Amino acid sequence: MTVRASAPGKAILFGEHAVVYGKPAIAVAVDKRASVTIREGNNDHIQVKIPELNVYGVINTETGVVSQLNSEGEVDQKPGTTDVGIMKFIKSALSQTDLGSSPDHGLDITVDLEIPIGAGLGSSAAITIATLAAAARYNGQELSLENLAQMGHQVELEVQGAASPLDTTVSTLGGFLYFTHEKGAQKIKPALEMPLVVGYTSHPGNTGFLVSEVRKLCQAHPTIIKPILDIMETVTNQARESITRGDEKQVGELMNINQGLLDSLGVNTAELSRLIYHARRAGATGSKLTGAGGGGSIIAYCPGKTGEVLEELESIENAFQVGISSKGVTW
Ligand code: MEV
């Protein structure tokens, strides 16, 4: 039997980090996806291949240990941390559906990726949701979208520590979403075009680490950081209003303000700033880091200037145009 599922990556336009403290965020699913294929394996192992990353790994179902294989197919004793990090999401997702703990035969799992890893574009959430959906289908388990998003969030908590359900919700539902812990995801109907360009640095960000650094800062300076999180909430709510009213200029200004607030939380880097200012110089109406920061990506909102911003960012780092995808998980 062979099953396949896929899920989109995401870009956060407003409210990252603040969302971990119950504040709202605005995010879109992007037209870049992770696809997971599960088929019966030839031996007892759970083998995982991620060809785009040159990752070949094995999950030991008895010990739960995840190992990477070298080019000779032997267990590599010193695997790269990013690669094993991804394997941990897959392992945890499989055990959520019982497939990881006691399959009665081996599994051959292939992950095809269009989303760059560690770029703040929700690659781990997309891999998690696609793995959960494929594993549930393989097991004959019926899962609602709500169940899937909840299980995806459990996987992120287990692997990464503190996390909000934002990434896994966007990856499950797709579309243009306003998210709060209290009310979950609400669709936004934009009254404007959203031409977006992503620029990504060569340094991946580590979401778990950055979330814990922000928590430490908040504990050290609660009377300063809490009001900053409150202002982020106001920015996100005003942005929702500007997007639905079709006010391009205000959307851009609010992105720039959000960037300043993220910088004050300590998650910006010199490399990200460079991309952000180059994007603005090339004509972006607004630009900011997207996702956890500390590396990863920026997002630029560029009505009428997509070509110019893309060209400018490509001249210094990696960049691509992203479209918003209304398609969430499919299987
Ligand atoms: C990461 O994509 C977004 C953060 O807000 C963390 C989270 O919401 O889990 C930084």
Side-chain angles (χ1 to χ4, degrees):
M1 173 163 72
T2 300
V3 296
R4 186 177 163 91
S6 88
K10 63 92 195 28
I12 301 177
L13 301 180
F14 294 94
E16 51 272 269
H17 285 290
V19 69
V20 177
Y21 298 84
K23 306 296 184 192
I26 295 175
V28 294
V30 299
D31 53 359
K32 298 204 175 292
R33 303 178 73 83
S35 303
V36 173
T37 307
I38 304 182
R39 41 177 89 79
E40 192 171 330
N42 295 327
N43 50 39
D44 294 344
H45 306 311
I46 298 180
Q47 297 216 42
V48 183
K49 286 183 232 156
I50 313 179
E52 280 80 14
L53 301 177
N54 222 6
V55 168
Y56 298 90
V58 168
I59 298 169
N60 182 321
T61 48
E62 270 162 35
T63 62
V65 171
V66 172
S67 325
Q68 200 171 324
L69 299 183
N70 63 24
S71 49
E72 268 91 54
E74 296 154 348
V75 172
D76 193 337
Q77 298 305 326
K78 291 193 191 111
T81 47
T82 311
D83 302 342
V84 169
I86 293 165
M87 295 281 281
K88 283 187 183 156
F89 283 95
I90 295 169
K91 178 188 140 216
S92 171
L94 292 174
S95 35
Q96 288 273 334
T97 59
D98 296 338
L99 205 55
S101 46
S102 55
D104 51 15
H105 55 74
L107 299 172
D108 211 337
I109 300 177
T110 306
V111 181
D112 293 302
L113 274 182
E114 296 169 348
I115 316 161
I117 291 288
L121 297 175
S123 53
S124 53
I127 293 171
T128 300
I129 295 299
T131 306
L132 282 166
R137 171 61 53 95
Y138 194 91
N139 257 349
Q141 235 171 306
E142 289 288 329
L143 285 183
S144 66
L145 292 180
E146 200 183 357
N147 289 150
L148 206 52
Q150 268 165 5
M151 288 161 86
H153 181 47
Q154 286 312 312
V155 170
E156 286 214 319
L157 287 178
E158 189 182 304
V159 178
Q160 164 187 305
S164 79
L166 175 65
D167 292 11
T168 41
T169 301
V170 178
S171 198
T172 304
L173 300 180
F176 204 142
L177 302 176
Y178 172 87
F179 177 89
T180 57
H181 279 251
E182 220 187 340
K183 296 196 174 153
Q186 293 165 258
K187 293 233 182 239
I188 292 185
K189 281 205 187 109
L192 32 67
E193 295 289 308
M194 286 301 291
L196 298 170
V197 171
V198 164
Y200 64 103
T201 69
S202 36
H203 293 114
N206 179 330
T207 303
F209 173 75
L210 287 149
V211 168
S212 77
E213 287 299 291
V214 172
R215 184 163 306 280
K216 280 188 214 153
L217 197 68
C218 193
Q219 280 161 354
H221 307 282
T223 54
I224 297 169
I225 302 299
K226 284 186 180 156
I228 292 176
L229 298 172
D230 290 340
I231 299 178
M232 284 178 154
E233 174 171 25
T234 308
V235 169
T236 301
N237 285 332
Q238 285 198 8
R240 180 191 195 182
E241 198 266 322
S242 313
I243 292 166
T244 49
R245 196 164 36 83
D247 189 334
E248 280 178 3
K249 184 166 171 283
Q250 199 164 317
V251 172
E253 280 168 3
L254 291 168
M255 283 176 83
N256 296 344
I257 294 170
N258 198 164
Q259 168 60 21
L261 298 170
L262 284 164
D263 201 349
S264 71
L265 295 186
V267 297
N268 192 25
T269 67
E271 264 184 308
L272 288 168
S273 275
R274 184 162 175 250
L275 289 172
I276 286 162
Y277 282 100
H278 273 265
R280 290 183 199 170
R281 206 179 309 153
T285 309
S287 58
K288 59 181 274 295
L289 69 84
T290 182
S297 299
I298 70 136
I299 186 124
Y301 170 52
C302 345
K305 294 281 181 190
T306 309
E308 289 87 337
V309 174
L310 191 59
E311 195 179 323
E312 177 71 15
L313 296 184
E314 273 174 343
S315 73
I316 45 175
E317 281 279 7
N318 308 299
F320 53 84
Q321 201 178 338
V322 284
I324 298 173
S325 169
S326 56
K327 202 164 70 165
V329 63
T330 56
W331 73 96

